[in-house]
Amino acid sequence: MTGYTIAQASQKTGLSTYTLRYYEDIGLLEPVERAANGHRRYSDDDLGRVSFLLKLRDTGMSLEDMQQFVQLYREGDESAALRHAMLSEHRQRVQARMEALQETLDYIDYKLAMYANQQDSCLLETQAERERTS
Amino acid sequence: MTGYTIAQASQKTGLSTYTLRYYEDIGLLEPVERAANGHRRYSDDDLGRVSFLLKLRDTGMSLEDMQQFVQLYREGDESAALRHAMLSEHRQRVQARMEALQETLDYIDYKLAMYANQQDSCLLETQAERERTS
DNA sequence: GCTTGACTTAGAGTTCACTCGAAGGTGTAG
DNA sequence: CTACACCTTCGAGTGAACTCTAAGTCAAGC
């Protein structure tokens, strides 16, 4: 017997069985191979694809954009440039997101320091704070 | 006349007027001052609070957690320690999130390089890739 | 006085990404 | 043969966070 059952795939990917079927339904995964009894059998490549998709999802790509990416992939080599462009754009968004996170992290640290000194109401960004970084 | 109309507040915060009212409804904002005709008038402090809440939201805090934070704030100084703890926990989550993002950013860069060399199917994380960072 | 436009409310509707329920098939253990 | 675990499909339900609609108020301009 070859391939993983949906329960095993769920275990390995961290996605629920519901979500694995759902991703297949909406075309994020190619139709998964079936055993003689109709049960799904996931290959390592299937799991690798899930793993890749999860990286995109967890960096904020919508399922819709992932569907588009997968669609381009299906169109073969001629779409490589477009896929590269999508990925590259996504990269930029992730980077921007990280910069925003870093800024807020600094801000939170500042707030926490204020707390340590009991100097802050900590429910609004004050004029002074807005000027702090300019 | 003092304070901003809801349209001006929307402009300044980037939130829709719907969302500004919604945040007030669910208690994220204190009831905003009203003009004689019943229209809202947002103060700079109101906008500062929105700005603070957006920092929390944009770093992944749920509205529910923000409600709790605001509730603690209403309870006054005795809740300062709890607020500090919440913020500190949130800080940790943001940091963890950033580390995950950095990892994926590296991964995307790797994939982009593969594209540049036409060496990659770019739809799955391969065994080789999984081993790359171990 | 009438129209226009910005606001008000309460409550309904939308989107996204799942998540579940119901009814049924299959395979093995007792 | 029966019980049970595990799978199948289809369609409906959920929760978060908005987003919009309808009906009404009010002030300003023609």
Side-chain angles (χ1 to χ4, degrees), chain A residues 44-45 48-49 51-53 55-56 58-60 69-70 73 80 83-84 87-88 90-91 94-95 97-98 101-102 104-105 107-109 111-112 115-116 120-125 130, chain B residues 44-45 48-49 51-53 55-56 58-60 69-70 73 80 83-84 87-88 90-91 94-95 97-98 101-102 104-105 107-109 111-112 115-116 120-125 130:
Chain A
D44 281 316
D45 275 0
R49 175 127 154 199
S51 178
F52 177 60
L53 292 173
K55 283 185 195 301
L56 295 181
D58 292 348
T59 45
F69 193 85
V70 165
Y73 176 73
R83 264 145 51 212
H84 180 280
L87 212 50
S88 176
H90 185 62
R91 198 215 112 94
V94 175
Q95 183 132 48
R97 176 114 200 78
M98 281 194 66
L101 279 186
Q102 183 58 60
T104 307
L105 201 59
Y107 177 78
I108 291 175
D109 283 342
K111 279 281 188 188
L112 283 171
Y115 261 109
D120 189 42
S121 72
C122 248
L123 252 185
L124 55 80
E125 191 197 45
R130 281 191 293 283
Chain B
D44 281 315
D45 275 1
R49 175 127 154 202
S51 178
F52 177 60
L53 293 173
K55 282 186 197 301
L56 296 180
D58 292 347
T59 46
F69 194 85
V70 164
Y73 175 73
R83 264 144 50 212
H84 181 281
L87 214 50
S88 174
H90 185 61
R91 199 215 111 96
V94 175
Q95 183 132 47
R97 177 112 201 78
M98 281 193 66
L101 279 186
Q102 183 60 58
T104 307
L105 201 59
Y107 176 79
I108 291 175
D109 283 342
K111 277 282 187 187
L112 283 172
Y115 260 109
D120 188 43
S121 72
C122 248
L123 253 186
L124 57 79
E125 192 197 46
R130 280 190 293 282

Side-chain angles (χ1 to χ4, degrees), chain A residues 38-130:
Chain A
H39 291 192
R40 288 173 178 79
R41 288 291 176 263
Y42 290 82
S43 68
D44 281 316
D45 275 0
D46 289 331
L47 300 193
R49 175 127 154 199
V50 170
S51 178
F52 177 60
L53 292 173
L54 286 182
K55 283 185 195 301
L56 295 181
R57 186 192 72 168
D58 292 348
T59 45
M61 191 182 281
S62 66
L63 298 194
E64 194 180 345
D65 282 359
M66 294 199 285
Q67 284 175 319
Q68 199 187 329
F69 193 85
V70 165
Q71 184 50 44
L72 285 175
Y73 176 73
R74 290 207 189 90
E75 288 167 16
D77 283 351
E78 72 222 75
S79 72
L82 277 170
R83 264 145 51 212
H84 180 280
M86 269 194 86
L87 212 50
S88 176
E89 261 178 54
H90 185 62
R91 198 215 112 94
Q92 293 225 324
R93 279 191 297 271
V94 175
Q95 183 132 48
R97 176 114 200 78
M98 281 194 66
E99 278 157 24
L101 279 186
Q102 183 58 60
E103 250 182 63
T104 307
L105 201 59
D106 291 346
Y107 177 78
I108 291 175
D109 283 342
Y110 167 80
K111 279 281 188 188
L112 283 171
M114 298 295 277
Y115 261 109
N117 301 330
Q118 285 110 41
Q119 287 175 347
D120 189 42
S121 72
C122 248
L123 252 185
L124 55 80
E125 191 197 45
T126 61
Q127 184 59 29
E129 282 169 28
R130 281 191 293 283

